[in-house]
Amino acid sequence: MTTKIFTGAQMVVKALAALEVKYIFGYPGGTVLDIYDALFQQTDVEHILVRHEQAATHMADGFARSTGEVGVVLATSGPGATNCITGIATAYMDSIPMVVLSGQVPSTLIGDDAFQETDIIGCSRPIVKHSFNCRVVEEIPNIIAKAFYIASTGRPGPVVIELPKDLLMPTSTGEFHIEIDVKMRSYNPNIKGHHKQIKKAVSAISDAKKLVVYAGGGVIIANASALLTELVEKLDAPITNTLMGLGGISGTHKNFIGMLGMHGSLEANRSMANADVILALGARFDDRVTNNVKKFCPDATIIHVDIDPTSISKTINAHIPVVGLVDVVLQQLLDELTATNFEPNKEERADWWQQINKWREVNSISYVQEGDQIKPQRVIEAMYKITKGEAYVCSDVGQHQMFAAQYYPFAKPRQWINSGGLGTMGFGLPAAMGVKLAFPESHVICITGDGSIQMNIQELSTCLQYNLSVVIISLNNRSLGMVRQWQDMVYGGRHSSSYMESLPDFVKLAESYGHVGMQINHLDELEDKLTEAFNIKNRLVFVDVLVDEKEHVYPMQIRLGAIDEMWIKKGVKS
Amino acid sequence: MRRILAILLENEAGSLSRIVGLFSQRAFNIESLTVAPTEDQSLSRITIVTRGDDKVLEQIVKQVNKLIDVIKITDLTERSHVERELILIKVLAMNDKSRTEVKRITDIFRGSIIDIGKQVYTIQLTGDAQKINAFVNTLANETEIIEVVRSGCVGIARGEKALRV
């Protein structure tokens, strides 16, 4: 422990360095100028200047999702802090470790409606895992250490820290002391599954004739995909992933039956509907998965493994709840299976797989490429082929997101980065930037559309400043595709405000920001031009692909139906 | 079903607002809420009376437990417990008849008159919610109620069982 005296601002930066933070994403302003001054005078922590604070949160988020580390954001009080709200909510819904440092007006002015004052703790309360006010300068380092601990353990999530300016200024000094090993009497995330529950789960699994493994984002967060694959192979069970869980097992694994849910494969949804035992791992029975909960998998015994007890029996009642970290519980399950000499019943499995393969034959994830107009699905397939399935794919929200999830089988965890829970348009580009910063040598794609990309397009400027050579592939259908699809299907084809009448010239736009712009308009040039885009090194390439604006995402669950009641294609029910 | 939840949590800025925010955010019901520090000043104890079926109550308990500040939560109504509420009530006592009657009712309910004005009595009473409701109704039949303040319910488990760190 050193006895040297530091200002509050210096303590913030020192604490971040002590926690081995490499990058911090932010935007300066009045109340945090002292922190910026402290950042200027050191080299441990690099600050990335965004063009809008929302992008800072998504960038930190993309960094966190791809690396598993905590993403760190710095914003000034008032508008800086409120601009972070959407990004905090995005991270909260998808359980992403994030720490947001927000400036605040001096303590003496709090409550006076001072210039750029907002109660950011109050504003963010429903969308954070926890938050801290700092009131004493010496507390700053340990509050930051606690914030990191809370953000990254248990079910991860965002933590907000409010730093009043008077604590940061040169007049506010104290001794620096930080305890990295945090202990809290009120927070001890339960990590190991209860022994009796493990036994019960294995007994149910052993008796199952029609077993399905349903794995979500928890598997990715817990770095449990090797164990998951081992379990699935041992059980010889079909496995489906949620949108958040894609990559938890290789998308080309023989037991993988595709994504489930609203735009999942028929075989995944049907297997769930017909299962006698469902093993849910780090998934939360989201409404985009279950469809009508009253009709959800009536015959299944549900084993639900999750680190967050509130996720268990929230929407769907779990018969065998197991609270614990997915990786730890997977190991426990594997050990118990070995201890009980488990072998899958070959005959029963064969029957089950035969049934599933019948559903597979429907080929529900398919499309027809007619005419010269490029089908959006074809772009994803080309993208997969050119990048050999190895790229990081960061998605915005809409039809392109679903097409990417359906047509790009992810080989590894953390390769698929998307806003699943909140569904935040504008997430894709800044998230991709965060990933590119972490993995500069890898292909990082931002898959987007003409709607989503315009929600954080200003970040093209940040990309130039830090040479973040993301490949942006925009499926340009001149409309808000998913909105339009719903209007076609549910609202009698009345396209209320879903048509974009004044799109910019994206090629010129990219060029004006100093990047490479490219447009693809013909099917026969698709692969060549995309290949060219991926071959351009150290430049951001914006590929504007004009796609068929009438294409819908299929299959699609029928509203209020069971999980496997789906439109397979236009006018064709499952 | 009516439930009494006892919560032990860190006595820190914002911890109460997190509890209240959680209830409104998730559309849980609060019938009454009381909060004060315990003998250990670093801890607060909250008593919340709520209503809901088993599924809702399970979510409430889990969601409250998930808050970082919360150390323990228990449903007192699950087992034998004592609950008490304090009421201060100001009633019109204008003439001999009503004064006598108010005094008589107060005695029967084992309350006490703690202040007297020219035309009003202020009465203090403790008990469970049922007793307090009965007292208020009885008084209302006899005279005019000027003002009522209720503390909200507090509760504790019977016997050796205790909610502590």
Side-chain angles (χ1 to χ4, degrees), chain A residues 181-444:
Chain A
D181 278 331
V182 177
K183 283 192 182 63
M184 294 173 72
R185 64 177 171 182
S186 65
Y187 175 67
N188 296 296
N190 186 15
I191 55 162
K192 212 174 161 190
H194 194 281
H195 183 60
K196 274 188 190 159
Q197 296 302 95
I198 298 288
K199 275 197 182 315
K200 271 192 205 169
V202 165
S203 158
I205 289 168
S206 303
D207 293 342
K209 292 185 174 64
K210 299 175 188 174
L211 173 67
V212 177
V213 180
Y214 152 49
V219 171
I220 312 279
I221 292 166
N223 298 318
S225 54
L227 286 170
L228 174 66
T229 308
E230 190 184 335
L231 181 84
V232 164
E233 286 170 359
K234 193 176 180 89
L235 300 176
D236 189 26
I239 172 165
T240 176
N241 278 149
T242 66
L243 179 66
M244 294 308 299
L246 292 174
I249 188 160
S250 168
T252 54
H253 193 284
K254 69 176 174 52
N255 290 46
F256 184 61
I257 54 172
M259 178 173 77
L260 83 171
M262 181 169 274
H263 294 296
S265 74
L266 178 71
E267 55 268 35
N269 286 339
R270 245 267 135 134
S271 301
M272 288 287 283
N274 288 278
D276 60 359
V277 175
I278 293 172
L279 174 58
L281 298 162
R284 59 187 180 90
F285 297 87
D286 175 90
D287 56 283
R288 283 297 190 269
V289 163
T290 59
N291 211 7
N292 188 345
V293 290
K294 291 198 181 79
K295 298 181 182 175
F296 183 78
C297 305
D299 303 325
T301 298
I302 292 170
I303 306 164
H304 192 174
V305 180
D306 206 289
I307 186 64
D308 180 0
T310 69
S311 286
I312 295 175
S313 298
K314 181 167 65 182
T315 58
I316 300 292
N317 190 45
H319 305 94
I320 307 175
V322 185
V323 177
L325 284 173
V326 168
D327 53 340
V328 177
V329 174
L330 273 168
Q331 189 60 62
Q332 288 177 284
L333 289 172
L334 281 164
D335 291 347
E336 182 65 20
L337 285 166
T338 307
T340 55
N341 297 318
F342 170 84
E343 281 289 335
N345 180 317
K346 288 217 167 65
E347 230 165 85
E348 283 169 5
R349 276 295 185 277
D351 287 350
W352 185 216
W353 275 113
Q354 196 184 5
Q355 177 66 72
I356 293 166
N357 288 333
K358 280 227 174 81
W359 297 325
R360 270 178 168 164
E361 280 166 18
V362 174
N363 202 13
S364 63
I365 309 287
S366 62
Y367 66 98
V368 182
Q369 173 67 60
E370 323 161 290
D372 190 44
Q373 263 211 317
I374 301 169
K375 292 286 182 186
Q377 298 93 324
R378 177 58 67 92
V379 183
I380 308 292
E381 286 179 336
M383 202 172 96
Y384 178 76
K385 190 174 151 196
I386 295 161
T387 59
K388 301 186 182 72
E390 290 168 357
Y392 286 92
V393 180
C394 306
S395 182
D396 260 310
V397 169
Q399 286 186 322
H400 60 269
Q401 178 188 22
M402 291 301 117
F403 289 136
Q406 291 176 331
Y407 290 89
Y408 199 112
F410 296 98
K412 289 181 310 205
R414 302 191 183 279
Q415 207 188 333
W416 167 240
I417 310 278
N418 86 127
S419 166
L422 197 69
T424 308
M425 289 172 71
F427 172 81
L429 176 58
M433 291 157 63
V435 177
K436 189 71 187 177
L437 201 62
F439 299 98
E441 301 307 318
S442 302
H443 281 310
V444 178

Side-chain angles (χ1 to χ4, degrees), chain A residues 92 121 125-126 129-131 133 150 155 184-187 308-317, chain B residues 10 12-14 17-18 21 25-26 40 42-43 55 58-59 62-63 65-71 165:
Chain A
Y92 180 73
I121 298 293
R125 188 180 304 116
K129 185 169 174 187
H130 196 57
S131 46
N133 304 93
I150 292 168
R155 178 178 182 175
M184 294 173 72
R185 64 177 171 182
S186 65
Y187 175 67
D308 180 0
T310 69
S311 286
I312 295 175
S313 298
K314 181 167 65 182
T315 58
I316 300 292
N317 190 45
Chain B
E10 298 287 355
E12 273 172 17
S17 65
R18 272 188 259 272
Q25 176 190 351
R26 299 202 179 258
D40 173 352
S42 73
L43 293 172
K55 193 173 162 72
E58 182 184 330
Q59 266 300 310
K62 284 173 167 180
Q63 292 285 358
N65 230 338
K66 187 173 158 181
L67 293 174
I68 304 294
D69 290 329
V70 170
I71 298 169
V165 175

Side-chain angles (χ1 to χ4, degrees), chain A residues 19-175:
Chain A
L19 290 155
E20 297 175 359
V21 172
K22 288 192 281 291
Y23 299 107
I24 171 166
F25 309 91
Y27 203 99
T31 56
V32 287
L33 283 176
D34 292 284
I35 300 178
Y36 276 86
D37 197 43
L39 282 167
F40 190 84
Q41 299 177 53
Q42 53 85 54
T43 53
D44 293 335
V45 183
E46 186 182 348
H47 179 265
I48 307 293
L49 174 68
V50 293
R51 300 298 180 266
H52 187 294
E53 290 88 350
Q54 184 192 346
T57 55
H58 295 327
M59 231 178 138
D61 184 319
F63 183 85
R65 287 183 204 235
S66 59
T67 59
E69 294 168 26
V70 177
V72 190
V73 177
L74 175 57
T76 194
S77 61
T82 54
N83 276 346
C84 292
I85 289 289
T86 303
I88 296 170
T90 305
Y92 180 73
M93 289 292 273
D94 290 343
S95 312
I96 305 305
M98 181 185 288
V99 170
V100 178
L101 302 163
S102 164
Q104 182 53 290
V105 299
S107 311
T108 49
L109 294 182
I110 290 178
D112 287 0
D113 296 321
F115 176 66
Q116 294 195 329
E117 179 186 356
T118 299
D119 173 16
I120 193 59
I121 298 293
C123 289
S124 63
R125 188 180 304 116
I127 49 166
V128 294
K129 185 169 174 187
H130 196 57
S131 46
F132 291 97
N133 304 93
C134 291
R135 294 291 175 259
V136 184
V137 65
E138 285 87 355
E139 284 180 356
I140 290 175
N142 280 333
I143 283 181
I144 293 177
K146 268 189 190 172
F148 271 66
Y149 172 65
I150 292 168
S152 59
T153 53
R155 178 178 182 175
V159 177
V160 170
I161 304 174
E162 181 187 79
L163 297 156
K165 172 146 183 163
D166 53 324
L167 263 60
L168 305 171
M169 285 165 30
T171 45
S172 165
T173 57
E175 281 182 17

